[in-house]
Amino acid sequence: QVQLVESGGGSVQAGGSLRLSCAASGSTFSIAAMAWYRQGPGKQRELVAAINSGGRTNYADSVKGRFTISRDNAKNSLYLQMNVLKPEDTAVYYCNGNFIVGGLLRTYWGQGTQVTVSS
């Protein structure tokens, strides 16, 4: 089984920064495609940023130039550095990963961490 545990959320004023972390259990982290999603109040869950096993990244247009996704395979950890935060970034942020477990590709989610940006 795989568990994803997020941390680092909180409240910040517009223009501030936060760094989210996601700790993953499981020995196949290094080859897992990982991502951060978010769900704002009254909105659908959306992809924020993704990173594959080779380190290739992609970002939602709304966060390009402000957010940076990274991973440390030695620590089984995923990160999201969020700079120049805006009130519209307020959401619950979820860590997501696609792992090979028992020979099958399975998708896992963390429990989410709240990010609140005030104007």
Side-chain angles (χ1 to χ4, degrees), residues 104-119:
L104 298 175
L105 187 65
R106 300 176 187 270
T107 298
Y108 293 87
W109 294 89
Q111 82 287 352
T113 186
Q114 177 70 46
V115 171
T116 302
V117 184
S118 58
S119 57

Side-chain angles (χ1 to χ4, degrees), residues 29-74:
F29 177 83
S30 64
I31 60 173
M34 301 295 299
W36 288 98
Y37 284 75
R38 67 185 181 187
Q39 187 165 15
K43 298 181 181 179
Q44 289 189 331
R45 192 172 296 190
E46 63 176 357
L47 177 67
V48 175
I51 184 168
N52 68 8
S53 58
R56 184 170 183 174
T57 60
N58 66 281
Y59 296 91
D61 287 343
S62 59
V63 306
K64 281 181 181 176
R66 299 189 298 122
F67 291 12
T68 302
I69 188 171
S70 62
R71 63 193 297 162
D72 186 336
N73 291 337

Side-chain angles (χ1 to χ4, degrees), residues 79-112:
Y79 305 101
L80 185 68
Q81 178 66 43
M82 305 185 294
N83 298 327
V84 195
L85 282 160
K86 304 175 181 180
E88 50 264 44
D89 294 319
T90 294
V92 178
Y93 284 71
Y94 297 91
C95 177
N96 166 275
N98 294 303
F99 292 78
I100 297 175
V101 178
L104 298 175
L105 187 65
R106 300 176 187 270
T107 298
Y108 293 87
W109 294 89
Q111 82 287 352

